[in-house]
Amino acid sequence: MTIQESVLRYGDSPWQRVDLYVPAEGPARSAAVIFHGGFWRHDRIARDLEPLAVALVRRGCATAVVEYRPAWDGGLWPAAAEDARTALGRLDAGGAPWQDATIVGHSAGAHLALSAVAGQGAGRRVVLLAPVVELAYAAAAEVGGKAVGHFLAGHLAAGGTAEEATPRPSQADLASLTVFEAACDQAVPAELTEHQLSGWRERGLVTDHHVVPDARHMHLVNPERDGCAPVLTLLAGAPVSAEGSVS
Amino acid sequence: MTSLTTDRTQAAVSLMESLPAVNWDDIESAAEVTERIAHRLGDDPELLNTLVERVRYTPELREKCECHALDDKIVIWDDQEKGLRIRLRLANTDQYERVHNHRYSFTAYILSGAYRHTLYATDQPLDETADVERFWPYFVREEPQGRCITLDHEQLHTTITEPETISLMIQSPARKSRAFMIRRADGHVWWRLGAAEESEERRREVRMTDERFEHWIGRLKALGVL
């Protein structure tokens, strides 16, 4: 299978772009828009998710990987969340296959994925992988070290709170909410995941929760690892096609 | 220090602490991140000035400032856990063709001056038996002010610069214990070790004096880098 690669730019910063991967032959069977993690400071970048995108396209799932500004280069809250919303809006405006895509967020990218869909009332399918969303809890637990404090620095200095920067999607925003937890996650503690899940359930958001045995934090987005298999199956729902090239 | 200076220093340190961990195992990924970091710092003379001034009263950085035969260096940030040592490379004389690799991968952002940059290939072992006649240039490019380049530690190259060519360097943690060097003009082959493996005498020799440090601050301001 040949994979067609292109870039959608949605702002002036080099970070404000979406890397698009689609099957060259015929329409995709499904689509995913992915927000990478990296604690809003880009310990990981969109480029790092290219193997995942290629694996998804080979299974018939068109994939968009959203890049956005890191906290140290223009992305302090709320700018990175605004980037996420703008990027998703631009993709949706382009029509098929993106307007029906599943929205995926890995790690801190889950915070941006939910920020992008919250308040839109668009009924999106959302899949969160090892999510870091509840910022007050994450800051107190020092998830990502001082990352939350750095991300919210300007907001907190102006008297804002971490609560205000935590997305609160409604039932109208979500068609479904699925959470994958890595059983051996070294970056996101199980207590944070449980705290987030109970909060979403209390608010009536139907939540599927899967614990991936033996998986570490990055395994969920690394198609070379067994821990990524259930994610690939959920997003693409199809076996891999023949090996191919990227164009 | 005035309270304004203190505020600026705190803001600068906070920004530096918010920088990412760099994945130097993927040089393309490292290039994308470090070239943006280089622009973020190098395009903001006030921020860079704050960071250089901070070196004066930060002994762990000040002791890493060195003078060598061709270049001096001022280390402004060192976070080995994140793979970020950030320094200014200060060309102190006319350069000669000294083919070398590095102990670390790096990104260089040219803030003032220019490089003539040459990449080399060889079929020689990188040790004392190397025949210096068998190092061939295969890529030559003028790298002007404003250019960012990222190089893997294994790449053999030369950068010929005019005096006072200033670069912001972001380098990975050491990938090997010694860098390989040859001088093609006379066939000399040698190694450069990391600071931890150098003798006390050598460390004293290369440590930048206060006078030299002040000289460079003055020159960096005159050149508009700070």
Side-chain angles (χ1 to χ4, degrees):
Chain A
M1 173 187 284
T2 303
I3 298 171
Q4 209 161 46
E5 216 182 316
S6 58
V7 172
L8 169 68
R9 298 202 177 272
Y10 63 90
D12 293 335
S13 164
W15 297 112
Q16 291 172 308
R17 67 164 212 274
V18 185
D19 298 337
L20 303 172
Y21 305 82
V22 298
E25 302 94 10
R29 284 192 299 271
S30 60
V33 176
I34 305 179
F35 294 86
H36 70 82
F39 293 117
W40 309 278
R41 65 185 172 219
H42 286 33
D43 287 354
R44 304 290 167 180
I45 58 175
R47 181 190 298 271
D48 296 331
L49 295 190
E50 183 170 274
L52 174 64
V54 168
L56 284 166
V57 176
R58 284 184 179 152
R59 289 164 172 81
C61 178
T63 302
V65 184
V66 178
E67 190 53 279
Y68 51 88
R69 288 172 292 171
W72 50 268
D73 199 15
L76 285 177
W77 169 265
E82 288 166 359
D83 282 0
R85 267 192 296 278
T86 303
L88 189 58
R90 290 286 302 278
L91 285 166
D92 285 350
W98 309 115
Q99 84 270 33
D100 295 322
T102 301
I103 311 301
V104 183
H106 176 239
S107 192
H111 170 268
L112 298 177
L114 283 185
S115 296
V117 302
Q120 303 298 308
R124 305 300 294 247
R125 289 183 304 279
V126 173
V127 176
L128 305 182
L129 313 172
V132 179
V133 176
E134 290 286 337
L135 299 188
Y137 192 103
E142 296 188 336
V143 177
K146 297 178 180 175
V148 175
H150 288 139
F151 178 49
L152 300 182
H155 176 67
L156 298 176
T161 66
E163 284 293 318
E164 293 164 352
T166 297
R168 304 285 178 215
S170 67
Q171 292 181 37
D173 295 322
L174 305 176
S176 64
L177 178 59
T178 303
V179 175
F180 283 90
E181 176 182 357
C184 303
D185 199 315
Q186 75 281 26
V188 177
E191 294 77 15
L192 173 60
T193 306
E194 188 48 46
H195 174 78
Q196 293 171 151
L197 284 167
S198 56
W200 293 326
R201 285 175 181 140
E202 277 169 21
R203 294 175 46 242
L205 306 176
V206 178
T207 308
D208 264 343
H209 175 217
H210 305 273
V211 179
V212 182
D214 302 323
R216 295 203 306 267
H217 190 65
M218 293 306 294
H219 291 187
L220 299 180
V221 291
N222 180 352
E224 298 296 314
R225 294 290 189 165
D226 291 345
C228 190
V231 176
L232 292 172
T233 300
L234 180 75
L235 295 178
V240 65
S241 69
E243 291 291 304
S245 59
V246 178
S247 68
Chain B
M1 281 196 296
T2 65
S3 64
L4 178 62
T5 309
T6 305
D7 289 349
R8 279 186 184 154
T9 303
Q10 284 174 349
V13 169
S14 181
L15 176 79
M16 299 304 282
E17 286 178 344
S18 76
L19 294 177
V22 177
N23 177 17
W24 287 102
D25 291 332
D26 179 343
I27 200 72
E28 284 188 36
S29 176
E32 183 171 347
V33 172
T34 55
E35 291 184 12
R36 286 306 307 165
I37 295 172
H39 276 282
R40 178 69 185 83
L41 305 181
D43 295 345
D44 186 342
E46 186 178 301
L47 170 63
L48 207 51
N49 184 57
T50 302
L51 292 167
V52 171
E53 288 290 337
R54 179 175 170 268
V55 175
R56 285 182 203 276
Y57 49 87
T58 309
E60 61 270 29
L61 295 177
R62 181 64 185 84
E63 72 190 20
K64 289 172 183 156
C65 299
E66 297 176 356
C67 299
H68 293 274
L70 306 182
D71 302 309
D72 293 357
K73 61 181 181 184
I74 294 176
V75 179
I76 60 173
W77 191 257
D78 194 14
D79 185 340
Q80 294 294 293
E81 207 169 300
K82 284 186 176 173
L84 285 171
R85 174 175 285 187
I86 304 176
R87 63 182 172 86
L88 291 169
R89 176 193 177 195
L90 316 150
N92 59 23
T93 184
D94 283 316
Q95 313 255 313
Y96 56 84
E97 194 170 42
R98 187 190 59 165
V99 181
H100 62 281
N101 65 17
H102 291 263
R103 294 190 313 115
Y104 45 80
S105 302
F106 69 91
T107 288
Y109 178 27
I110 303 168
L111 301 177
S112 181
Y115 296 174
R116 195 180 78 222
H117 190 201
T118 306
L119 304 183
Y120 289 81
T122 188
D123 60 1
Q124 293 296 292
L126 299 185
D127 60 30
E128 295 81 352
T129 66
D131 176 357
V132 299
E133 297 300 317
R134 298 189 64 80
F135 286 75
W136 305 285
Y138 68 90
F139 171 100
V140 183
R141 189 168 76 174
E142 294 298 320
E143 310 282 14
Q145 180 175 327
R147 170 88 37 90
C148 253
I149 55 172
T150 298
L151 225 60
D152 185 81
H153 66 101
E154 291 185 336
Q155 177 66 56
L156 291 161
H157 78 143
T158 57
T159 52
I160 308 296
T161 66
E162 293 174 2
E164 297 197 333
T165 291
I166 311 298
S167 316
L168 182 74
M169 307 284 293
I170 302 177
Q171 66 187 60
S172 77
R175 312 299 256 190
K176 51 183 178 277
S177 61
R178 56 185 191 173
F180 175 80
M181 301 196 180
I182 62 169
R183 194 161 51 222
R184 295 173 88 203
D186 60 6
H188 185 47
V189 176
W190 77 103
W191 305 93
R192 179 180 283 180
L193 299 170
E197 287 155 84
E198 288 179 331
S199 67
E200 272 304 310
E201 186 185 0
R202 168 74 177 160
R203 298 302 307 147
R204 276 196 300 276
E205 268 174 26
V206 299
R207 188 180 188 281
M208 185 181 283
T209 63
D210 289 344
E211 185 185 13
R212 188 75 175 158
F213 186 81
E214 297 308 324
H215 162 80
W216 274 120
I217 287 191
R219 293 305 302 149
L220 290 167
K221 286 181 175 168
L223 292 165
V225 172
L226 302 184

